[in-house]
């Protein structure tokens, strides 16, 4: 599962959410025009993926999971979350669920977040601790994993 990069998991999640909405909606919980509020979360989510991605590029450190980092980034969105990219992906999926408006797509979001935490975040944090030691430990004391 580690070989499948997180953006692919987001794509699969969106496809599953869409299928659930159209084939097993169960109950519409967010009606128009309120469901369009999800678009704001989609934009915020994309921003939280793009901004840190630019920071990785500027720092010349790999963004791909499980590649050894050459820099510990603690500025920008990393002042608030140790995982703003994953947080952005979750916000994006919440936005998609709200735009769709039915109940069943919403169940995909916590499954995605749990899977990302177990498959990617925990291993990445272990690698960062091994690479940056006390500097990373101090950072973890200051900044929460998600928000």
């Amino acid at each position: 599962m580690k070989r499948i990069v997180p953006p692919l998991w987001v794509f699969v999640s969106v496809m599953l959410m869409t299928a659930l909405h159209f084939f097993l909606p169960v109950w519409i919980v967010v009606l128009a025009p309120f469901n369009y509020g999800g678009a704001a979360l989609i934009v915020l989510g994309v921003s939280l993926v793009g901004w840190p991605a630019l920071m990785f590029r500027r720092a010349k450190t790999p963004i791909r999971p499980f590649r050894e980092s050459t820099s510990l980034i603690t500025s920008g969105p990393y002042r608030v979350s140790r995982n703003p990219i994953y947080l952005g992906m979750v916000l994006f999926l919440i936005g998609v669920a709200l735009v769709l408006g039915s109940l069943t797509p919403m169940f995909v979001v916590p499954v995605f977040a749990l899977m990302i935490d177990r498959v990617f975040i925990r291993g990445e944090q272990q690698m960062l601790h091994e690479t940056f030691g006390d500097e990373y430990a101090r950072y973890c004391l200051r900044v929460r994993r998600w928000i």
Side-chain angles (χ1 to χ4, degrees), residues 63-125:
I63 193 169
R64 193 175 181 106
F66 303 108
R67 300 268 169 90
E68 189 170 338
S69 296
T70 57
S71 298
L72 180 62
I73 300 171
T74 60
S75 60
Y78 287 93
R79 288 176 292 150
V80 180
S81 172
R82 292 195 314 255
N83 298 288
I85 293 175
Y86 295 134
L87 177 60
M89 290 175 180
V90 169
L91 290 174
F92 176 84
L93 291 177
I94 292 170
V96 170
L98 291 174
V99 167
L100 292 171
S102 61
L103 182 64
T104 50
M106 295 181 187
F107 291 116
V108 174
V109 178
V111 172
F112 173 85
L114 183 65
M115 187 275 309
I116 286 292
D117 182 66
R118 298 299 189 271
V119 175
F120 294 98
I121 292 175
R122 291 180 184 212
E124 289 175 7
Q125 289 189 337

Side-chain angles (χ1 to χ4, degrees), residues 8-143:
L8 186 55
W9 285 109
V10 172
F11 176 76
V12 169
S13 296
V14 170
M15 294 298 103
L16 179 59
M17 293 167 81
T18 304
L20 287 169
H21 172 72
F22 286 108
F23 298 113
L24 190 65
V26 178
W27 184 29
I28 303 298
V29 291
V30 183
L31 300 170
F34 302 107
N35 65 333
Y36 297 120
L41 286 177
I42 290 171
V43 170
L44 178 60
V46 169
S47 298
L48 274 176
V49 171
W51 182 13
L54 289 173
M55 294 177 76
F56 272 74
R57 177 175 278 180
R58 286 185 188 134
K60 294 183 171 84
T61 192
I63 193 169
R64 193 175 181 106
F66 303 108
R67 300 268 169 90
E68 189 170 338
S69 296
T70 57
S71 298
L72 180 62
I73 300 171
T74 60
S75 60
Y78 287 93
R79 288 176 292 150
V80 180
S81 172
R82 292 195 314 255
N83 298 288
I85 293 175
Y86 295 134
L87 177 60
M89 290 175 180
V90 169
L91 290 174
F92 176 84
L93 291 177
I94 292 170
V96 170
L98 291 174
V99 167
L100 292 171
S102 61
L103 182 64
T104 50
M106 295 181 187
F107 291 116
V108 174
V109 178
V111 172
F112 173 85
L114 183 65
M115 187 275 309
I116 286 292
D117 182 66
R118 298 299 189 271
V119 175
F120 294 98
I121 292 175
R122 291 180 184 212
E124 289 175 7
Q125 289 189 337
Q126 180 62 35
M127 286 182 67
L128 288 168
H129 184 68
E130 290 168 5
T131 303
F132 297 105
D134 290 340
E135 182 183 6
Y136 183 70
R138 286 189 301 275
Y139 173 66
C140 289
L141 291 174
R142 289 190 324 267
V143 179

